[in-house]
Amino acid sequence: MFVSYKWLQDYVDLSGVSADELAEKITKSGIEVEGVEVLNEGITGVVVGHVVERVQHPNADKLSKCQVDIGQGEPVQIICGAPNVAQGQKVAVATVGAVLPGNFKIKRAKLRGEESNGMICSLTELGMEAKIVPKEYSEGIFVFPQDAEVGTDALSLLNRDDEVLELGLTPNRADCLSMLGVAYEVAAILGREVKLPESDLQPVNEKATDYITVKVDANEDNPLYAAKVIKNVKIGPAPLWMQTRLMSAGIRPHNNVVDITNYILLEYGQPLHAFDYDRLGSKEILVRRAQDGEKFVTLDDAERTLTFDHLVITNGTEPVALAGVMGGANSEVSSDTTTVLLEAAYFTGGTVRKASKDHGLRSEASARFEKGVDPNRVRAAGERAAYLMAKYAGGEVLEGASEVDTLTVEPAVVSINLEKINSVIGTNLTVQDVEAIFERLQFAVNVEGNVITVTAPTRRGDIKIEEDLIEEVARLYGYDNIPKTLPIGSATPGKLSDYQEKRRIVRQYLEGAGLYQAVTYSLTSEEKAAQFALEKRDFIRLAMPMSEDRSILRLSIMPQLLEVLKYNSARQNDSLAVYETGAVFLANGNEVLPEEQEHLAGAITGLWHSHSWQGEKKAVDFYVLKGILEGLFAKLGLTDSVTYVQAKVDNMHPGRTAEIHLNGERIGFVGQVHPTMQKELDLKDTYVFELSLKAVLEAATASLRYEAIPRFPSITRDIALVVDKETVSGVLRDIIQTAGGKLLKEVIVFDLYEGERMEEGKKSIAYSLKYMDPERTLTDEEVTKVHTQVLEALKEKAGAVLRG
Amino acid sequence: MQERLKELQQEAIQKIEQSSSLKELNDIRVAYLGKKGPITEVLRGMGKLSAEERPIMGALANEVREAIATILEAKQKDLEEAAVLEKLASESIDVTLPGRPVKVGNHHPLTRIIEEIEDLFIGMGYQVAEGPEVEQDYYNFEALNLPKGHPARDMQDSFYIKDEILLRTHTSPVQARTMEKNQGKGPIKIICPGKVYRRDNDDATHSHQFMQIEGLVVGENIRMSDLKGTLEVFAKKMFGEDREIRLRPSFFPFTEPSVEMDISCMICGGHGCNVCKKTGWIEILGAGMVHPNVLEMAGYDSKKYTGFAFGMGPERIAMLKYGVDDIRHFYTNDVRFIKQFAKHE
Ligand SMILES: [Zn+2]
């Protein structure tokens, strides 16, 4: 809503309050003023001139040579390029020395050999937007009415010496979609009176009901319809002050009748519609739902196909307007109109919203109906419009109106206890303080003891319950004046849950290990949604996606993380380590919420160490990433619960991938991205893992107990085994551990050899075994005994022999 | 003989002083103090002396030996020290060469902001509540006083999956769920961070997925002044002790009264600049007293219980706090961007 500071003064005395100060006060008490525009900012030296002579420029077809009286002695010569300039016009002249928007300075000039002392201006040249300039002046200069006084300030005459406050209205404050609504608000803020506009209607001795009958077949959508008739109107321009006020509010002037309906829309917040009575083709108005497929041409000349959801005004048979949205071309007011049928009606928000949305017709009128107009202002708005049509369009207003009224208007009556107000806001207001606030708002208020009963005016449809009253008190008391306290009452322990704390530990650990945290999108494409999923489930698809790329909820983080690597690799960052924690979405059937499983995914690519002047370089490999995971599981006390099982996973290297098992359950995978996919993504060798963080953190319940530091020495025996190439280390370690029993404290792989010196199909793998008894010093014999058992078990179960 | 000894002493001391290496010094030791050295030789000739002279000569010879040994030792120490210094000098390195980098990653800036806010409220007795990102229409809208047909829940603005299931458009459903779980009893003090989704085209200021963090306090005597006090603590801790706050009335369907909180601009200190659009104030969050309908729907007696709620966007806070100019940076994950948020501040 654009509010003209000058116009607002018609209703509230603003003396002593500048536009900026007013803006600040309005913002602080509830409606955000998003900006204050000074309409004549950067414009000087524009006066009203009289074109006393206009002749063709001798050297240019499209230019006129004008002699213009600007009230400074002899007329000055001005060359003008506008097609509509004519002798006798009163025009806006930017005199020599004037400044126009964009710091455009007017200088004496010669145009095609003829002297020019200034410029005759169009409205856009004076800083107005083209879309609000009246059509007749859109291609040329603006022409003032003949009574404009030569030499006076043209901007003042155009009401540009004004400031416009742009209100950012929340949906509950539709009352401020009108100058009067804003006036009530400002009056409450300033503690001043509201002056209502005059409406001194003198009807002629004929009845509107003789001209028109109104019938409504859809009372729920249209509980009130009033039709007034104004005859003998003379269509012409509206008075300049009215046109300029419309323009300041962003509305283009058309003619006096249409402008008056728009003016009342702004003044009362009540949309009206003017029909050409003679073009209706009947003496009847019938409001009804449209038939499915019914066609109708709106006054923008577009043919609309209607449905039963849309409400139409008809002449009994044919639609003449789409209710609350737009009139029809068939009944539009034109320059020939002599009798006007003026509609003042109450259409419900839902009806209008549906129609305006279906037809893409959001207008000033539809916006007001959608948010709800004041049911008590419908008739008053019609009366005032009729009065203005009599005054400014020479019309004769017929007595009364033809009406259908099923609207029940019951103002909200809400009672509240003073204690409630003070206990919710945290203040110590008295009954008198509260009463005074409601009086400023012009709400009827009745006090009995500590109970305050308020009757909210119908313009404030947002006031319904106690809390609405509390808000009115709080905002007019001033949020600045509310004290600052902290909640009192029983203490609540502030802490993270066990799960949340462990998630933080996981993040810290991974970052300490060199991985950066990424946050990617949950929505992905069909192609990617299926990749790397730990569980195959149905896709969860958006009903109305914005693009195919963001249409399905992810089943895995990995595709997104690989995109991150791709993005960075393409920007000279091909050595990179990232991780992400976040939900993946597992469908549970159609009408139930999916299971959201928190996953952890990591990816490393390129060089792990690099850029060292000491010359060290190390590319990422499986064991770098596995080491990170082992560290993580150790941190969470899960080392003994996790195993790695060689496996094949889609899009992963078939020989370099393991499933991660937690207590025997598959919870994730780790390995190298399939070289084909690496190539597609233009990545160097890339190792990744993804696992169910939920499963891991829920299993991580280890408690911490101190273990005595060994007081007795350990004995270490190293063995190098020769085994078949296919024998995996994990199997050998299990054999060693089982055979070693409780004296065996540690098994470390310290060498692996698969080179030429080995027999075909064999490899050598070396272990260091540490034996220890916490209670005493072991003897060599004891160790030898156990160690021999280990070697025998290795031979028996894995065919492992000691390397010679 | 006596002279010969003195001579030897002189000679040895001179040689010791002139010596420049440990080896040379050792040669001198062997030459003068060794079994085949001249002093031993002199002592060997003592047989020719009288019984009176012998002890005197013996003493003198020992004196000479000791003098030589003492000086020799001192010299040896000097030479050893010099040798160590020389060795150390040869070991010197270029200390200006860079150290071996330790590989460390860091939090995504949004996580950083969220954890900072979480910790701040944990310190004030809040717990962190989380909930599903795919929600029922009921928790996302209806339980929050947004009945069907409410203009603020336009189909166009939300990602629906089925008629009654959608991607949550805010983290408020977590509040509704928490209240419902508490079965009409207080107190509740929670902070709810998480991802939310809206049907927006991604551009410099919009993202179809973004973060939100909301807070909720429900109790028997929760006042608007408590909200104001809480928000001030938050603003000062988050944006600096010299920040001032301003509450403006606003409108949200789930709170009444509703407010928006501005903080005095941290860029210009409130004098007006481009960041604060010349107003001196920056909008940070929306808040309000929990709407009685919301309390009642969750099973609370709104005559007995009141509450406040607030909500903010970590992206916006990060953009303001760190001067990030494009929301898309948060989801592109350019490591050159993420790296910048490693520093402790
Ligand atoms: Zn600023």
Side-chain angles (χ1 to χ4, degrees):
Chain A
M1 174 78 184
F2 295 99
V3 176
S4 153
Y5 176 77
K6 270 175 85 176
W7 184 1
L8 189 60
Q9 295 180 60
D10 279 8
Y11 318 109
V12 196
D13 174 16
L14 297 179
S15 56
V17 188
S18 72
D20 281 333
E21 286 162 359
L22 183 63
E24 165 92 16
K25 283 178 197 285
I26 294 176
T27 293
K28 275 192 157 183
S29 53
I31 293 165
E32 192 180 354
V33 178
E34 290 171 343
V36 178
E37 194 193 350
V38 181
L39 296 183
N40 59 2
E41 191 157 49
I43 309 176
T44 57
V46 185
V47 300
V48 176
H50 182 212
V51 182
V52 290
E53 186 193 290
R54 181 246 155 220
V55 295
Q56 183 67 42
H57 187 294
N59 308 322
D61 285 352
K62 292 190 170 166
L63 296 180
S64 303
K65 185 165 85 172
C66 307
Q67 305 304 320
V68 184
D69 177 8
I70 56 169
Q72 292 170 7
E74 286 299 298
V76 295
Q77 174 168 305
I78 297 176
I79 305 301
C80 180
N84 63 333
V85 65
Q87 190 170 320
Q89 284 172 336
K90 295 283 179 68
V91 293
V93 178
T95 54
V96 171
V99 182
L100 295 182
N103 202 22
F104 174 42
K105 294 196 178 82
I106 302 300
K107 293 184 190 118
R108 189 160 284 133
K110 263 201 171 151
L111 292 171
R112 296 282 187 98
E114 290 288 337
E115 197 175 299
S116 184
N117 299 293
M119 184 172 116
I120 304 178
C121 300
S122 70
L123 292 181
T124 49
E125 280 158 346
L126 294 175
M128 299 193 210
E129 278 183 90
K131 64 171 191 189
I132 61 165
V133 172
K135 280 217 175 90
E136 53 181 316
Y137 303 123
S138 64
E139 298 298 323
I141 54 165
F142 178 74
V143 182
F144 283 106
Q146 275 305 318
D147 58 1
E149 202 178 313
V150 170
T152 55
D153 182 355
L155 289 175
S156 165
L157 211 52
L158 287 166
N159 271 319
R160 301 301 283 178
D161 53 346
D162 192 6
E163 288 169 73
V164 171
L165 282 64
E166 187 182 355
L167 305 187
L169 291 174
T170 51
N172 60 324
R173 292 307 304 274
D175 61 298
C176 285
L177 282 169
S178 65
M179 292 303 289
L180 275 174
V182 175
Y184 278 107
E185 176 73 9
V186 169
I189 293 167
L190 300 178
R192 295 181 185 176
E193 297 292 314
V194 175
K195 289 173 281 181
L196 291 176
E198 65 176 40
S199 196
D200 181 20
L201 193 56
Q202 304 290 340
V204 296
N205 200 12
E206 258 182 300
K207 287 199 169 72
T209 46
D210 295 340
Y211 276 65
I212 195 85
T213 55
V214 174
K215 213 176 138 213
V216 177
D217 274 357
N219 288 5
E220 251 177 49
D221 304 320
N222 177 209
L224 171 60
Y225 195 102
K228 287 190 79 71
V229 179
I230 303 102
K231 59 176 203 176
N232 293 331
V233 297
K234 286 151 211 76
I235 302 295
L240 185 58
W241 62 263
M242 187 182 285
Q243 293 189 45
T244 56
R245 283 181 173 188
L246 291 179
M247 286 192 277
S248 298
I251 294 177
R252 166 185 282 179
H254 292 277
N255 59 48
N256 45 10
V257 168
V258 172
D259 289 358
I260 286 166
T261 61
N262 281 331
Y263 185 78
I264 296 302
L265 170 127
L266 292 173
E267 191 174 48
Y268 279 70
Q270 169 65 44
L272 303 171
H273 187 68
F275 297 95
D276 184 329
Y277 175 81
D278 297 318
R279 295 178 69 195
L280 275 180
S282 80
K283 289 184 147 203
E284 184 188 356
I285 288 287
L286 169 67
V287 186
R288 61 165 167 84
R289 293 288 192 108
Q291 287 140 16
D292 280 332
E294 192 168 2
K295 298 272 198 283
F296 172 56
V297 179
T298 41
L299 52 75
D300 56 357
D301 290 328
E303 189 184 71
R304 315 274 169 181
T305 305
L306 308 175
T307 73
F308 184 70
D309 289 335
H310 306 138
L311 191 69
V312 285
I313 316 300
T314 70
N315 61 2
T317 46
E318 297 292 310
V320 290
L322 187 54
V325 179
M326 194 178 266
N330 52 9
S331 56
E332 188 183 358
V333 169
S334 70
S335 52
D336 303 329
T337 302
T338 55
T339 305
V340 168
L341 182 113
L342 180 67
E343 163 197 292
Y346 186 96
F347 302 114
T348 54
T351 310
V352 174
R353 185 178 310 121
K354 180 84 178 111
S356 74
K357 218 174 100 179
D358 288 354
H359 298 290
L361 287 172
R362 283 254 155 95
S363 63
E364 296 276 350
S366 69
R368 283 167 177 78
F369 281 124
E370 284 178 35
K371 286 169 182 144
V373 297
D374 179 355
N376 262 342
R377 226 183 249 161
V378 180
R379 283 194 194 84
E383 294 295 306
R384 172 138 161 94
Y387 163 72
L388 293 177
M389 284 181 195
K391 194 164 175 182
Y392 298 110
E396 294 165 4
V397 181
L398 273 51
E399 206 182 312
S402 190
E403 270 187 23
V404 169
D405 181 7
T406 57
L407 187 62
T408 42
V409 186
E410 279 179 29
V413 180
V414 188
S415 292
I416 190 165
N417 199 300
L418 180 69
E419 279 77 57
K420 171 92 178 181
I421 295 177
N422 280 324
S423 74
V424 171
I425 307 178
T427 44
N428 286 309
L429 298 175
T430 64
V431 166
Q432 288 73 30
D433 294 335
V434 174
E435 194 179 4
I437 285 172
F438 288 123
E439 277 167 358
R440 272 160 65 190
L441 283 163
Q442 305 206 15
F443 290 10
V445 56
N446 180 38
V447 177
E448 271 176 57
N450 271 348
V451 177
I452 299 140
T453 302
V454 172
T455 307
T458 51
R459 66 187 149 82
R460 291 295 307 274
D462 58 316
I463 306 288
K464 294 182 189 106
I465 55 173
E466 283 187 344
E467 282 69 19
D468 298 322
L469 297 185
I470 293 172
E471 173 156 43
E472 294 302 299
V473 172
R475 71 184 186 91
L476 286 166
Y477 174 65
Y479 283 10
D480 283 350
N481 299 321
I482 296 175
K484 292 167 198 158
T485 57
L486 288 175
I488 39 179
S490 56
T492 46
K495 63 174 173 52
L496 292 174
S497 71
D498 214 39
Y499 184 97
Q500 289 160 347
E501 204 167 311
K502 282 184 190 133
R503 176 169 50 203
R504 284 201 184 182
I505 288 168
V506 168
R507 287 179 181 153
Q508 274 157 15
Y509 168 80
L510 290 172
E511 286 160 19
L515 278 65
Y516 289 96
Q517 189 193 16
V519 177
T520 62
Y521 295 134
S522 304
L523 287 167
T524 186
S525 63
E526 179 157 349
E527 185 201 356
K528 284 187 183 149
Q531 289 171 355
F532 301 101
L534 284 176
E535 285 189 53
K536 304 287 177 220
R537 298 271 183 108
D538 287 344
F539 289 147
I540 303 171
R541 214 180 276 273
L542 296 181
M544 288 198 302
M546 298 179 78
S547 69
E548 163 55 24
D549 277 353
R550 308 259 172 260
S551 58
I552 294 175
L553 282 166
R554 65 182 178 187
L555 284 154
S556 156
I557 297 177
M558 192 51 62
Q560 246 73 326
L561 220 46
L562 290 176
E563 276 299 313
V564 171
L565 296 190
K566 182 186 169 186
Y567 177 92
N568 281 284
S569 286
R571 284 159 185 80
Q572 298 172 308
N573 252 320
D574 53 9
S575 293
L576 191 67
V578 292
Y579 80 96
E580 177 171 358
T581 59
V584 303
F585 303 84
L586 309 174
N588 263 339
N590 249 344
E591 299 298 331
V592 283
L593 295 185
E595 180 191 340
E596 294 185 22
Q597 197 176 68
E598 186 163 26
H599 271 205
L600 166 66
I604 59 177
T605 187
L607 292 171
W608 185 243
H609 296 303
S610 62
H611 294 301
S612 165
W613 54 267
Q614 290 171 308
E616 269 180 84
K617 265 191 182 139
K618 162 113 184 77
V620 298
D621 66 22
F622 182 86
Y623 300 102
V624 167
L625 193 56
K626 190 179 176 190
I628 291 172
L629 282 176
E630 284 170 335
L632 177 66
F633 294 130
K635 184 103 195 157
L636 297 169
L638 292 172
T639 302
D640 296 336
S641 311
V642 173
T643 48
Y644 300 85
V645 182
Q646 188 96 31
K648 302 223 184 317
V649 174
D650 285 351
N651 295 307
M652 296 291 286
H653 190 302
R656 296 183 175 177
T657 300
E659 282 178 355
I660 303 169
H661 289 199
L662 176 67
N663 297 322
E665 295 269 331
R666 186 176 62 104
I667 56 143
F669 64 87
V670 53
Q672 186 181 353
V673 173
H674 199 290
T676 313
M677 183 170 256
Q678 283 181 178
K679 208 172 157 198
E680 275 166 22
L681 294 169
D682 215 359
L683 294 175
K684 295 189 169 170
D685 277 2
T686 300
Y687 288 83
V688 299
F689 72 89
E690 176 153 355
L691 49 81
S692 164
L693 186 62
K694 185 163 174 267
V696 169
L697 296 188
E698 281 171 1
T701 51
S703 54
L704 194 64
R705 292 281 304 169
Y706 156 78
E707 210 172 275
I709 292 160
R711 285 181 294 145
F712 301 97
S714 61
I715 294 176
T716 301
R717 296 277 169 94
D718 291 350
I719 50 174
L721 301 170
V722 177
V723 291
D724 288 346
K725 241 183 180 149
E726 294 73 42
T727 309
V728 296
S729 162
V731 167
L732 297 174
R733 194 201 49 214
D734 289 348
I735 296 169
I736 294 170
Q737 261 164 351
T738 313
K742 62 180 180 20
L743 291 186
L744 180 64
K745 289 297 166 209
E746 200 175 271
V747 183
I748 294 171
V749 181
F750 71 89
D751 190 39
L752 175 71
Y753 182 73
E754 297 178 299
E756 293 160 11
R757 282 178 288 132
M758 294 306 297
E759 198 187 314
E760 184 69 22
K762 298 280 183 186
K763 68 179 174 188
S764 164
I765 184 161
Y767 291 89
S768 181
L769 281 64
K770 192 155 128 192
Y771 296 97
M772 200 191 68
D773 187 325
E775 305 299 327
R776 63 203 170 86
T777 303
L778 287 175
T779 64
D780 228 34
E781 291 77 45
E782 282 171 310
V783 171
T784 302
K785 198 178 148 208
V786 180
H787 194 64
T788 309
Q789 285 169 13
V790 169
L791 294 177
E792 275 165 9
L794 282 166
K795 191 171 180 186
E796 191 186 315
K797 292 183 176 153
V801 293
L802 285 175
R803 194 174 174 191
Chain B
M1 226 175 170
Q2 197 173 342
E3 257 121 73
R4 177 65 186 143
L5 280 170
K6 286 279 178 205
E7 236 177 67
L8 281 171
Q9 184 178 351
Q10 285 290 338
E11 200 182 292
I13 288 170
Q14 201 175 0
K15 279 194 178 164
I16 288 165
E17 275 165 2
Q18 281 164 3
S19 73
S20 61
S21 76
L22 286 168
K23 178 168 185 315
E24 232 174 284
L25 202 64
N26 202 42
D27 289 348
I28 295 167
R29 185 196 316 273
V30 174
Y32 287 88
L33 303 177
K35 289 205 173 98
K36 288 173 188 162
I39 295 172
T40 320
E41 211 167 287
V42 168
L43 287 174
R44 226 174 264 146
M46 266 198 335
K48 297 171 194 158
L49 296 176
S50 67
E52 294 88 49
E53 279 178 319
R54 232 181 270 162
I56 298 165
M57 268 309 163
L60 183 66
N62 276 332
E63 229 171 81
V64 169
R65 281 182 83 103
E66 259 163 47
I68 292 171
T70 308
I71 290 167
L72 211 136
E73 232 165 78
K75 182 68 183 184
Q76 179 162 358
K77 214 174 164 190
D78 286 353
L79 283 178
E80 273 169 5
E81 269 171 28
V84 167
L85 286 177
E86 196 183 333
K87 180 161 188 291
L88 293 182
S90 77
E91 288 172 355
S92 74
I93 55 167
D94 179 353
V95 298
T96 64
L97 277 167
R100 194 191 159 104
V102 175
K103 223 173 153 60
V104 192
N106 57 262
H107 275 11
H108 189 280
L110 294 176
T111 307
R112 189 184 163 128
I113 292 282
I114 289 169
E115 286 191 0
E116 197 175 336
I117 296 171
E118 282 175 356
D119 290 344
L120 210 151
F121 282 99
I122 285 171
M124 292 197 275
Y126 289 62
Q127 296 192 6
V128 179
E130 293 169 277
E133 293 169 31
V134 180
E135 254 302 359
Q136 289 169 17
D137 184 276
Y138 174 78
Y139 288 110
N140 195 72
F141 290 129
E142 274 173 60
L144 299 165
N145 201 28
L146 281 148
K148 295 220 159 67
H150 195 287
R153 51 177 290 180
D154 204 319
M155 272 289 278
Q156 298 296 327
D157 303 333
S158 317
F159 287 118
Y160 273 87
I161 291 164
K162 300 278 168 204
D163 285 350
E164 295 297 325
I165 298 177
L166 76 163
L167 303 192
R168 67 179 177 193
T169 58
H170 44 192
T171 50
S172 317
V174 182
Q175 305 188 8
R177 283 174 176 274
T178 306
M179 282 193 278
E180 195 182 83
K181 212 172 69 194
N182 277 38
Q183 299 190 319
K185 291 187 198 74
I188 294 178
K189 268 174 126 178
I190 53 166
I191 192 105
C192 321
K195 290 172 188 155
V196 301
Y197 306 84
R198 294 206 190 148
R199 240 174 150 275
D200 274 326
N201 279 309
D202 296 339
D203 62 25
T205 52
H206 296 86
S207 181
H208 76 275
Q209 173 185 321
F210 57 101
M211 299 286 188
Q212 221 178 39
I213 188 159
E214 294 189 77
L216 171 73
V217 174
V218 175
E220 285 188 28
N221 209 345
I222 302 300
R223 301 157 295 176
M224 210 168 157
S225 55
D226 299 334
L227 170 64
K228 194 173 172 185
T230 301
L231 292 181
E232 188 182 60
V233 171
F234 162 74
K236 285 183 185 286
K237 289 257 167 68
M238 197 72 195
F239 297 101
E241 284 300 322
D242 46 356
R243 291 281 69 72
E244 282 176 46
I245 68 160
R246 173 175 90 167
L247 298 187
R248 280 183 291 107
S250 187
F251 173 77
F252 308 108
F254 27 88
T255 49
E256 181 79 17
S258 302
V259 302
E260 269 170 278
M261 182 185 84
D262 300 336
I263 58 168
S264 55
C265 178
M266 62 278 243
I267 308 293
C268 63
H271 302 296
C273 67
N274 283 338
V275 173
C276 59
K277 293 184 198 133
K278 308 241 156 64
T279 62
W281 295 97
I282 294 179
E283 192 179 313
I284 292 294
L285 54 76
M289 301 302 289
V290 181
H291 197 288
N293 291 357
V294 174
L295 287 168
E296 295 284 347
M297 261 183 287
Y300 283 81
D301 177 0
S302 68
K303 295 264 173 295
K304 189 173 162 198
Y305 283 97
T306 49
F308 66 71
F310 54 86
M312 64 195 111
E315 281 88 350
R316 176 166 172 77
I317 290 177
M319 288 169 96
L320 287 169
K321 211 171 144 106
Y322 307 128
V324 177
D325 55 0
D326 190 324
I327 197 170
R328 286 170 294 199
H329 282 313
F330 295 113
Y331 295 95
T332 310
N333 296 292
D334 190 320
V335 79
R336 293 166 298 183
F337 174 74
I338 298 175
K339 253 182 194 174
Q340 295 181 32
F341 302 93
K343 208 162 44 186
H344 182 77
E345 186 201 40

